[in-house]
Amino acid sequence: MVSYIVSEEGHGKTKILLDMANKAVETAEGNLVFIDGGKTRMYDLNHNVRLVDTASYDLANYREFIGFLCGILSQNMDITDIFVDGINKIVKTFDDEAFAKLHVRLKKLSEENDVKFVVGVNSKAGTLPEEIKSCII
């Protein structure tokens, strides 16, 4: 399953993602990962959620981000949930076309690895491709 939290910057997506990750700890049957562009959320997350800081990886496009996710998944087959905060800031080149392609790849990764993705996106929901609008929570 792939879900998105979409709103303009500064409207509380990070808080929602943090709350979702911390609440998921209570019911998760596997490991949880929170991907962010820095370490500032370290103390906001339950200690059972692994924080992955992407700041030093310089991910140029959605393909590199998918490779990054594949590396994480290949190292731990017990991951059940991945939360991504601010995909627009993590991936340097990110537009609606890249978003649509990322969505297709995330759906495939989700199905193949039985992983739920929740991704925070800085955007106006009305401007997104139709296939993504149905996944907004």
Side-chain angles (χ1 to χ4, degrees):
M1 181 173 90
V2 180
S3 303
Y4 301 99
I5 299 172
V6 180
S7 67
E8 294 181 51
E9 190 167 354
H11 283 89
K13 292 178 297 300
T14 298
K15 172 84 169 101
I16 293 169
L17 280 166
L18 289 168
D19 289 346
M20 288 177 76
N22 288 331
K23 185 173 173 125
V25 169
E26 299 169 9
T27 58
E29 296 180 10
N31 297 320
L32 292 93
V33 175
F34 192 94
I35 299 174
D36 196 7
K39 295 180 184 176
T40 58
R41 307 291 173 223
M42 183 183 316
Y43 299 108
D44 297 328
L45 284 169
N46 181 296
H47 69 278
N48 290 316
V49 180
R50 178 178 169 207
L51 176 65
V52 177
D53 173 14
T54 63
S56 59
Y57 296 104
D58 194 32
L59 302 171
N61 54 50
Y62 82 93
R63 287 185 184 111
E64 289 183 7
F65 181 71
I66 290 295
F68 185 78
L69 286 176
C70 289
I72 290 171
L73 291 168
S74 72
Q75 293 298 308
N76 184 343
M77 301 301 285
D78 295 327
I79 294 173
T80 57
D81 299 82
I82 296 179
F83 301 88
V84 182
D85 187 26
I87 188 70
N88 309 66
K89 293 182 180 179
I90 292 171
V91 177
K92 305 297 182 244
T93 305
F94 197 77
D95 55 18
D96 285 348
E97 182 181 344
F99 192 5
K101 290 177 181 178
L102 174 70
H103 177 68
V104 170
R105 297 293 302 272
L106 286 177
K107 281 180 28 180
K108 184 176 179 186
L109 277 177
S110 175
E111 292 166 5
E112 290 175 349
N113 295 282
D114 196 26
V115 175
K116 297 176 202 162
F117 291 97
V118 181
V119 182
V121 182
N122 294 331
S123 182
K124 292 181 180 180
T127 65
L128 298 174
E130 287 301 319
E131 65 270 17
I132 293 171
K133 287 180 183 178
S134 65
C135 298
I136 295 174
I137 54 174

